[in-house]
Amino acid sequence: MAASPESVRLEAITKRFDQTLAVDALSLVVRRGEFVCLLGPSGCGKTTTLRMIAGFVEPDAGTISIDGQDVTDRPPNRRDIGMVYQSYALFPHMTVFENVAFGLRMRSVAGAAIAERVTAALALVDLAGLERRKPGQLSGGQQQRVALARALVIQPSVLLLDEPLSNLDAKLRKRMQLELKTLQRRVGITTIHVTHDQEEALSLADTVVILNGGAVEQVGTPRDVYTRPRSAFVADFLGRANFMAGRVSAPGPGPDGVTFVADRGEVLAVREAGTFLPGATVQAFIRPERVELRRAADGSRENGLPGKVEQVLFTGSLVTIEVQTTTGRRLVAERPSSGSEAIYEPGDPVQVVLPAEALRLLADAGQGGSDRPGPAG
Amino acid sequence: MPRRARYRADGGVLLRLWCGVVFAFLLAPIVIIGLTSFTGGETVAFPPTELSLRWYAKVLAHLADAPGVKPGLLGAFLLSLRVGVVVAVGTSVAGVLAAYALYRFRIRGMAILRQYFLIPLMLPQIVTGIALLVWFSQLKSVGPLTRLILGHMILTLPYVILTAGASLEASRPDLEEAAIGLGASRPRAFFLITLPLIREGVVAGAIFALIISFNAFTVSYFLYSGDALPLPVWVFEYMAYFLDPTLAVISTFLIAITLLAVILLDRLVGIRQLAGR
């Protein structure tokens, strides 16, 4: 292996299909051993990007390097990649053993070595003993593991995963996510995973790359992109959020803080203003789990807005409480259902507290929309 | 009492009766030919006046080119078989290649191109025959055997394209891609993954090609020569001079051979599967 810490480098790759720009001058560096998730809605260019790394789609412009070598013009069979598909793409006329052995046969590995490595790969994905089965005789989860073993056995420079878990049912998907993460850690292979499932991306990735309209919207650790989204699009896409349009009115309180005046007249302190100066038109946003509720009688607090409970939804581990403020704004709060806090009923007068350190400001150009009535899904 | 129209999944008595009539209509000529071949009389007559195997003996004499009978039956049979096998193999190779392009590549105008390759199916064979005759008379160096083979290949190509194409459409293109991703070259991925998966359609197309070539008369009539005379042409020439039950015997043999081919086809790939696609 090359000593370079860099595994995959994309430089301004662009792909146009007929009139649509699928990928727009996208640049990205993936470090060796890193688990990167390309996340975005359908049509954001994530799969096209993955297929360009694999070599199945040729970029119109830009370069792709793997392990420091320019592979832009190299066909996929000479790129040393391991790919796992949403459809698994197992060869139905071959046994599990033959499926996993395929890549080794293509590399002219000796028979004894093939048997040894296939056995090891199947043991790695916990499928020892199923060598003689045909893919049609396996469950969805087992097929997924075979596909994973088939990609890993050739010890590729980079593992490419194209929504590999989205055909599994919710429970199995969660389990496979855990296994995938453990496996990736153990093997230490550079992995690029494409998904539209934000939870999957956040739980699996070392680095999340959020794509929108063929371009990178934000790159960061899961915690980073979730708590400090750089755009309303990211904030909206990575889970639920309350948005408020308004403007920055004055600096302070606090050294980095500003006062935010929402379009319905609410005055809120924001602890971290970022680069926004007084007078800027912005959107404030806060995650539902950061919204606090107090009894109306508890006396007013900083950033407390009076209102009343509209709806209470019990969703198992969480309770979602929708509140309408006296200014007519609907805000959503989330609480663990096991919490020792007071239980609210629709109609209860409450005080919604939007803690100054949990409020974030975003440029008012994004797709989060202003003053949306409900929470972003 | 009002009559109620009830839905019956197996159809009513009338439908069954109708189906019986249709089957009888389709099968009657075949049954009649078979029975006629066992006649003891001098002419093709149904029902046969007396049962005998004398016309079978005559066909054996033909096959042995015995003196006193029209020669060349065995030669014509073997020629048709040879042409049929070569055509089946040749058309399969050409048809699979064509089908791969027509059903896998995404190119503008592909729908029109697919229709283009089916033209021999729609053109009257007499037109194809005349066209080939004119064309080959320009190409003096092409021998009669090659002419027959090329003519039959044109005739049978649409069948292989259709059966192989149907298999290709039913198989997943991502499998070949996965093989390439695992390091296979394009040809290797095709031979190791795609071809085994469309085998049934290819075999079916090849058997169609064999049967059609073996039975092709119209096109063959324009292309044959004295030293490359296929069986249907021999039968036609025989019929021009004699109208005795010999032909009923030959027909019975041909029916038996075709039936065997169909049974083989069913064993190999399943007729049901072909019809279902």
Side-chain angles (χ1 to χ4, degrees), chain B:
Chain B
M1 207 167 86
R3 279 187 59 189
R4 285 191 305 148
R6 278 184 304 164
Y7 175 77
R8 295 182 51 147
D10 57 351
V13 178
L14 276 176
L15 179 61
R16 290 182 194 201
L17 207 68
W18 172 245
C19 288
V21 170
V22 170
F23 279 127
F25 181 76
L26 288 176
L27 282 173
I30 294 170
V31 173
I32 287 172
I33 279 285
L35 293 177
T36 311
S37 69
F38 293 103
T39 189
E42 287 292 329
T43 54
V44 179
F46 185 81
T49 43
E50 53 182 303
L51 290 179
S52 147
L53 287 175
R54 60 180 281 210
W55 298 107
Y56 280 80
K58 175 136 186 283
V59 166
L60 283 180
H62 271 292
L63 287 175
D65 272 344
V69 297
K70 179 178 162 58
L73 176 60
L74 184 65
F77 175 79
L78 290 178
L79 180 92
S80 275
L81 202 63
R82 200 150 48 130
V83 169
V85 169
V86 173
V87 165
V89 173
T91 308
S92 296
V93 173
V96 168
L97 292 177
Y100 187 79
L102 291 171
Y103 288 87
R104 278 287 162 83
F105 292 177
R106 297 188 182 283
I107 295 172
R108 209 183 304 263
M110 200 55 106
I112 297 166
L113 218 51
R114 283 186 201 170
Q115 293 306 309
Y116 172 82
F117 274 86
L118 300 185
I119 287 175
L121 216 54
M122 298 164 223
L123 223 52
Q125 286 189 22
I126 195 155
V127 174
T128 310
I130 292 169
L132 286 171
L133 182 66
V134 172
W135 174 240
F136 283 132
S137 66
Q138 306 289 317
L139 305 168
K140 298 253 169 8
S141 57
V142 179
L145 186 64
T146 316
R147 285 204 305 249
L148 277 174
I149 289 169
L150 288 177
H152 286 189
M153 277 180 70
I154 290 171
L155 216 57
T156 53
L157 191 65
Y159 293 91
V160 178
I161 290 180
L162 282 176
T163 55
S167 292
L168 271 170
E169 273 201 320
S171 76
R172 289 164 28 189
D174 60 339
L175 298 180
E176 199 173 302
E177 192 188 293
I180 292 169
L182 287 165
S185 62
R186 273 197 92 126
R188 226 167 158 194
F190 174 79
F191 282 111
L192 289 175
I193 306 299
T194 306
L195 196 56
L197 291 175
I198 63 166
R199 197 192 70 228
E200 295 173 354
V202 178
V203 171
I207 292 177
F208 271 131
L210 178 65
I211 292 175
I212 288 164
S213 161
F214 198 81
N215 291 326
F217 169 73
T218 315
V219 166
S220 307
Y221 197 66
F222 286 94
L223 303 177
Y224 84 97
S225 74
D227 45 327
L229 192 143
L231 185 60
V233 177
W234 189 92
V235 168
F236 180 78
E237 288 193 337
Y238 185 92
M239 215 161 64
Y241 299 102
F242 316 96
L243 206 65
D244 62 30
T246 306
L247 291 181
V249 176
I250 294 173
S251 302
T252 307
F253 271 123
L254 292 183
I255 290 164
I257 290 170
T258 308
L259 210 61
L260 268 170
V262 169
I263 290 168
L264 190 75
L265 183 67
D266 186 39
R267 279 286 152 81
L268 233 54
V269 292
I271 296 271
R272 217 173 292 245
Q273 223 155 356
L274 284 179
R277 280 183 185 170

Side-chain angles (χ1 to χ4, degrees), chain A residues 245-319:
Chain A
R247 60 186 176 80
V248 176
S249 76
D256 300 320
V258 291
T259 304
F260 169 79
V261 179
D263 55 358
R264 290 179 188 244
E266 301 95 330
V267 178
L268 300 164
V270 177
R271 202 70 79 222
E272 277 177 53
T275 56
F276 295 108
L277 297 171
T281 307
V282 294
Q283 278 201 75
F285 101 97
I286 183 168
R287 297 276 180 213
E289 70 269 20
R290 302 296 299 271
V291 175
E292 292 171 12
L293 296 177
R294 304 265 179 252
R295 290 288 180 202
D298 281 3
S300 73
R301 308 206 165 214
E302 184 191 47
N303 289 0
L305 303 172
K308 72 178 201 311
V309 174
E310 284 273 295
Q311 234 191 120
V312 179
L313 293 175
F314 177 77
T315 62
S317 60
L318 293 174
V319 179

Side-chain angles (χ1 to χ4, degrees), chain A residues 51 56 76-77 81 85 87-94 102-103 105-107 150-151 154, chain B residues 108 172 174-186 188-189 192-194 196-197:
Chain A
R51 291 174 60 75
F56 294 118
N77 52 328
I81 45 137
Y85 293 82
S87 62
Y88 316 137
L90 297 179
F91 309 133
H93 58 302
M94 296 184 183
F102 190 87
R105 272 172 61 204
M106 292 307 110
R107 284 161 176 74
R150 189 177 68 176
I154 57 176
Chain B
R108 209 183 304 263
R172 289 164 28 189
D174 60 339
L175 298 180
E176 199 173 302
E177 192 188 293
I180 292 169
L182 287 165
S185 62
R186 273 197 92 126
R188 226 167 158 194
L192 289 175
I193 306 299
T194 306
L197 291 175

Side-chain angles (χ1 to χ4, degrees), chain A residues 14-265:
Chain A
T14 299
K15 183 67 194 180
R16 198 180 280 279
F17 292 115
D18 291 329
Q19 295 312 307
T20 23
L21 193 60
V23 176
D24 184 7
L26 187 144
S27 296
L28 183 70
V29 173
V30 180
R31 293 189 314 274
R32 190 175 306 287
E34 192 176 17
F35 196 132
V36 170
C37 277
L38 302 183
L39 175 69
S42 58
C44 71
K46 55 188 191 294
T47 296
T48 305
T49 303
L50 195 77
R51 291 174 60 75
M52 282 197 281
I53 299 170
F56 294 118
V57 173
E58 208 178 319
D60 298 329
T63 58
I64 299 164
S65 310
I66 298 177
D67 285 339
Q69 288 187 42
D70 185 343
V71 297
T72 316
D73 297 321
R74 208 183 277 182
N77 52 328
R78 297 201 285 116
R79 280 202 189 185
D80 198 25
I81 45 137
M83 185 135 171
V84 177
Y85 293 82
Q86 179 177 358
S87 62
Y88 316 137
L90 297 179
F91 309 133
H93 58 302
M94 296 184 183
T95 63
V96 167
F97 183 93
E98 289 165 335
N99 263 280
V100 177
F102 190 87
L104 297 174
R105 272 172 61 204
M106 292 307 110
R107 284 161 176 74
S108 307
V109 175
I114 288 182
E116 198 176 304
R117 284 170 69 175
V118 169
T119 307
L122 286 173
L124 191 70
V125 296
D126 216 6
L127 279 183
L130 296 183
E131 287 86 350
R132 301 266 156 267
R133 299 269 186 94
K134 288 274 179 77
Q137 299 168 296
L138 302 178
S139 71
Q142 287 172 327
Q143 290 183 32
Q144 186 57 78
R145 288 156 198 261
V146 175
L148 206 55
R150 189 177 68 176
L152 285 173
V153 76
I154 57 176
Q155 297 170 347
S157 307
V158 52
L159 181 64
L160 304 176
L161 308 173
D162 185 9
E163 309 231 12
L165 305 179
S166 55
N167 276 355
L168 303 174
D169 66 68
K171 227 173 180 169
L172 189 58
R173 189 162 64 230
K174 287 260 182 271
R175 216 181 74 201
M176 285 298 291
Q177 281 174 11
L178 271 174
E179 287 187 19
L180 191 60
K181 181 80 181 167
T182 316
L183 195 67
Q184 193 267 343
R185 282 263 166 78
R186 190 143 46 112
V187 181
I189 185 171
T190 310
T191 303
I192 303 178
H193 178 145
V194 158
T195 181
H196 63 269
D197 181 339
Q198 42 95 8
E199 229 182 283
E200 184 170 300
L202 293 178
S203 57
L204 285 176
D206 300 319
T207 303
V208 180
V209 178
I210 295 132
L211 298 181
N212 186 25
V216 173
E217 191 81 22
Q218 190 171 352
V219 180
T221 64
R223 189 172 293 275
D224 194 35
V225 292
Y226 182 77
T227 56
R228 291 172 206 280
R230 223 175 285 152
S231 66
F233 173 82
V234 175
D236 189 23
F237 195 74
L238 284 180
R240 292 151 63 99
N242 295 292
F243 286 99
M244 284 170 283
R247 60 186 176 80
V248 176
S249 76
D256 300 320
V258 291
T259 304
F260 169 79
V261 179
D263 55 358
R264 290 179 188 244

